[in-house]
Amino acid sequence: MARVFSGIQPSGSMHLGNLLGALRNWVAYQNEHQAVYCVVDLHALTSAPDPAELRQSTLAAASMLLSAGIDPERSVLFVQSAVGEHAELAWMMECTVGFGELRRMTQFKDKSGRSEFVSAGLFTYPALQSADILLYDTDLVPVGDDQRQHIELCRDIAERFNRRYGDTFTVPTHVIPEAGARVMDLQNPNDKMSKSLDSPGTVGILDDPAVVARKFKRAVTDSDNEVYYDPVAKPGVSNLLGILASATDRSPEAVAEHYTQYGRLKADTADAVNNLLAPIRDRYLELSAEPAEVVRILETGAARARSVAAATLDRARNNAGLIPRPSFHSPPDGSDTGTKP
Ligand code: AQP
């Protein structure tokens, strides 16, 4: 059975782009694959979030994944920082990736351009992401289109490590959906919808149905009033067609044939999105009443994740020439009590 791995940052409220670009595929993959999903809180540290908010949004992200249909019986669901192997393998990945390769990453260029303080962690983010993926002998990585470049770099890192040190890692492949791979901001259809940009054009998964309808009604289009799919010439209209296509499992071109006016297209897109979001919102409300259950699921997931990650890390350490870790058992005479003299 092929292994699937993907992660999401607890960097704000999840939005329609996360759902259509990633989560829906994650849910589908649980049926016939070994699925491993992770809330990547160490990645969120790259932007120095408030500690209380990070704690809260990590649990909220896990609850959202469960609400969207991740089933902890079929998938491993855990929080990245609970499995220390991620941070340790990340160092080995940093020593395998080139400075020039990291400098070419478009997400780093975009994000560093928006921040006053640019952490080294933001620069080396793809090395930690590669560790996340490679620890689980991952075959497939379901992601949105914005992650394409990072996953391609992860493949290069895995192949370089395998060439240097012998066969160690499975080389993964990204899986990007045909429709919904890049959901754009409804107010700025040239920018991708994003958690960290607090924009009125972001549709939150937890938005009230009336708010969703209003956001689509106000979506930026253009003035020529023709409906066809061309993301370059008509970014706003094409974004709506892409969203409606993804929400109703059709192609954007097929959807376009049914419309001659923007008003109808906006209203139908809002309805389709609300139909998709309603059960997720309901489940999220139920789960909010059971935070202990979410924590229990994450603890079980971390233990299952660690059993795979530890074996892969040992293999990588051994192949790279790091000597085995000493085991820190007490000496047989019991002289080491662990107390200070
Ligand atoms: N707009 C999007 N359209 C389709 N897929 C998307 N994804 C993110 N945005 C879109 C996919 O969602 C998964 C989780 O990605 P993330 O945690 O990086 O989410 P984000 O919304 O991109 O988060 P941030 O913190 O706001 O980052 P920036 O500022 O970079 O946008 C991934 O599979 C991603 O492809």
Side-chain angles (χ1 to χ4, degrees):
M1 226 198 257
R3 173 82 52 74
V4 170
F5 175 92
S6 204
I8 188 154
Q9 293 196 59
S11 51
S13 303
M14 281 190 213
H15 54 75
L16 186 62
N18 299 133
L19 183 66
L20 300 183
L23 303 193
R24 289 217 306 169
N25 256 352
W26 296 15
V27 172
Y29 271 120
Q30 305 179 107
N31 296 332
E32 288 171 15
H33 297 79
Q34 283 180 18
V36 181
Y37 299 126
C38 184
V39 179
V40 289
D41 56 345
L42 295 175
H43 287 287
L45 285 182
T46 55
S47 58
D50 172 78
E53 269 176 34
L54 178 61
R55 266 189 283 277
Q56 188 275 332
S57 58
T58 299
L59 290 181
S63 301
M64 187 59 84
L65 297 182
L66 294 165
S67 308
I70 301 302
D71 172 2
E73 298 295 323
R74 287 181 292 158
S75 296
V76 175
L77 176 64
F78 69 106
V79 174
Q80 183 188 31
S81 65
V83 179
E85 283 77 2
H86 287 247
E88 185 171 345
L89 187 65
W91 176 251
M92 298 174 87
M93 301 293 94
E94 284 186 37
C95 297
T96 311
V97 69
F99 178 81
E101 286 171 313
L102 291 175
R103 210 170 39 181
R104 281 197 290 279
M105 294 296 110
T106 52
Q107 195 176 84
F108 174 72
K109 290 184 203 164
D110 290 349
K111 285 195 169 183
S112 58
R114 287 191 235 140
S115 316
E116 260 174 45
F117 174 75
V118 179
S119 66
L122 185 67
F123 184 64
T124 58
Y125 174 113
L128 176 57
Q129 186 181 41
S130 297
D132 301 338
I133 295 166
L134 299 181
L135 276 174
Y136 298 96
D137 292 329
T138 301
D139 300 290
L140 303 172
V141 190
V143 284
D145 188 59
D146 60 319
Q147 292 298 328
R148 183 190 296 270
Q149 195 186 29
H150 287 167
I151 310 304
E152 283 167 2
L153 181 58
C154 172
R155 288 175 61 85
D156 293 344
I157 295 175
E159 283 168 354
R160 186 172 301 144
F161 196 101
N162 287 348
R163 268 197 311 277
R164 271 188 194 164
Y165 301 120
D167 203 18
T168 308
F169 296 122
T170 301
V171 179
T173 308
H174 48 58
V175 197
I176 296 174
E178 281 184 17
R182 187 170 276 269
V183 175
M184 309 307 277
D185 187 287
L186 298 186
Q187 287 301 312
N188 303 298
N190 290 313
D191 291 341
K192 115 183 155 77
M193 197 176 278
S194 148
K195 290 194 231 88
S196 52
L197 293 179
D198 188 19
S199 158
T202 298
V203 177
I205 295 181
L206 296 179
D207 279 354
D208 187 78
V211 172
V212 172
R214 198 162 55 241
K215 285 182 177 173
F216 277 101
K217 198 168 178 189
R218 292 181 183 161
V220 166
T221 47
D222 53 46
S223 55
D224 72 9
N225 241 329
E226 274 188 83
V227 180
Y228 58 91
Y229 187 69
D230 181 342
V232 176
K234 294 177 75 71
V237 172
S238 300
N239 190 32
L240 295 173
L241 290 169
I243 292 170
L244 183 52
S246 172
T248 55
D249 291 320
R250 291 177 288 167
S251 74
E253 290 83 0
V255 170
E257 286 171 14
H258 296 274
Y259 294 92
T260 50
Q261 319 159 11
Y262 294 169
R264 197 68 257 146
L265 172 63
K266 287 178 174 181
D268 286 0
T269 308
D271 286 348
V273 167
N274 269 327
N275 287 339
L276 209 60
L277 300 186
I280 303 177
R281 285 191 209 108
D282 292 348
R283 177 84 185 112
Y284 187 84
L285 270 180
E286 283 167 26
L287 270 179
S288 307
E290 332 174 39
E293 173 61 6
V294 177
V295 170
R296 189 197 62 75
I297 289 170
L298 292 174
E299 283 173 1
T300 307
R304 290 170 70 194
R306 184 171 300 121
S307 67
V308 181
T312 314
L313 179 63
D314 276 351
R315 193 167 68 231
R317 286 176 53 103
N318 184 49
N319 290 358
L322 301 177
I323 64 171
R325 297 167 202 278
S327 49
F328 294 105
H329 295 307
S330 302
D333 65 0
S335 57
D336 178 5
T337 60
T339 52
K340 285 187 183 167

